Amino acid sequence: MTMTKRELAIQKEFSERMDEGELLNCMRCGFCLPSCPTYIETGFDETHSPRGRIALMKAVHDGLIAPDEEVERSLDVCLGCRACEPVCPAGVQYGHLLEEARDIFADHNQYKPLTKAVRKTVFEGLFPHQNRMEHSVSLLNLYQRSGLQKTVRKLGFMELLPKNLSTMEKVLPAVPSRREMKKRERTFSSQKETTTKVAFFTGCLMDTMFHETNNATITLLQKAGCDIVIPEEQNCCGALHGHSGEKAHAKKLAKQNIDAFEELQADYIITNAGGCGAFLVDYDHLLKDDPQYAQRAKLFTSKMKDITQILFELDFHMNSELHVAPQVITYQDSCHLRNVMRTEVAPRTLLKSIGGAAYKEMDQADSCCGSAGIYNIVESDMSMQILDHKMEHVKATHATTIVTTNPGCLLQMKVGIEREGLSDSVRAVHIVDLLLEACK
């Protein structure tokens, strides 16, 4: 076997950086196979299963195969949903292996000039700077409110885009102006006797494109008996970086967030986005080799909770009168909320407590919807294939409201509703928005 210079460099880093013990933990038992969306959607192709990908990583680590395009492609097609982890009898941390392998490949990729420029803009120029995020999203606000959106649609410009992107444009929420994003206070008092002090991780997209959902989150926490503080110096969680081979930038963001939160002495750190929460709760692994931050990261992650979990623990559903107009609701799990943060009972309990709503569990609600960060953009064919099957399960529930706990999942389900022509009869909402609706 002859390797290129690039392949030799990648193989060397695999042997040095990949956790051999974790690779060996995989017993090849196959329990992960029924839980893997890409394994199923590719017609049971072993190279697109967790077991198969780990075997490829181990073979590269041992120098038995070259880290060629086929290996890299197998890793790229993975959704990173981590559904394999809860069902693994050996407890293999597949997500950690995947991120390390992707990071190694990214370190040695010679990106085309346009791709390199886009990655630099997104990973370095945009997401780590909340002011720039606010400015960018405010341009979307201008597009929506100025009449330009209607003109663009009327002239058919959207038809020039790939179908999934044009559909995504249709389902984008009405975003606030930059002034509206800036006017929120940093501290909030409980609306009843205070039981808990929490720090709110507002996120980058959540605090811009989904700003109103963040406002709803604050209100619910107040109603549940929480005093809330929002650290001004917090930043992007780094999930997009960590999943895309930009681990060094993810570590930098993690350190900034730990610095921002640790002096607040809050009882808990709350997030309302499953994808963010899963990466935040993994900071202890991300920084495990950093002598200055390893212990601080452990304390940070020990305080992480999803909004549904803290509401559940504070008996919000038992102490509040929740009621909505008659409707059938179903729940689509956020993969990372369920598989990494292990939060599945809390959101369902909250939903079942809403009067006027009939809760219907969806078949395979724990299976990925195909959003997976930017997966629905870079791997659109596979993403839409997964989404179409997901919508079959949605329709079987006869639900009129699909509830999610992650912004990417929310947009993906909205796209699914559009693709199925159900926009007049079915809606998708974040659980926080539905709970606040039920409080009124």
Side-chain angles (χ1 to χ4, degrees), residues 19 75 79 117 124 130 155 190 277 324 332 351 357 374 383 406:
D19 187 335
L75 300 178
L79 291 149
E124 298 180 43
Q130 191 63 12
L155 293 175
S190 169
V324 293
Q332 167 60 31
L351 291 174
I374 58 172
S383 174
N406 189 61

Side-chain angles (χ1 to χ4, degrees), residues 95-167:
H96 297 163
L97 294 172
L98 176 68
E99 288 178 4
E100 192 70 24
R102 282 178 170 173
D103 192 59
I104 294 171
F105 271 104
D107 285 347
H108 295 276
N109 277 343
Q110 296 296 319
Y111 295 109
K112 294 179 180 179
L114 179 58
T115 302
K116 187 175 182 179
V118 170
R119 288 179 67 91
K120 185 175 180 65
T121 299
V122 171
F123 294 129
E124 298 180 43
L126 184 58
F127 277 87
H129 306 280
Q130 191 63 12
N131 282 338
R132 297 177 190 176
M133 287 290 296
E134 290 170 355
H135 180 70
S136 298
V137 173
S138 69
L139 295 178
L140 180 58
N141 169 269
L142 180 63
Y143 168 73
Q144 291 176 333
R145 295 190 180 184
S146 66
L148 180 59
Q149 184 179 50
K150 293 181 179 178
T151 302
V152 166
R153 290 177 177 178
K154 187 175 181 179
L155 293 175
F157 287 160
M158 287 298 108
E159 296 176 8
L160 300 176
L161 296 175
K163 187 175 181 181
N164 68 312
L165 290 182
S166 63
T167 304

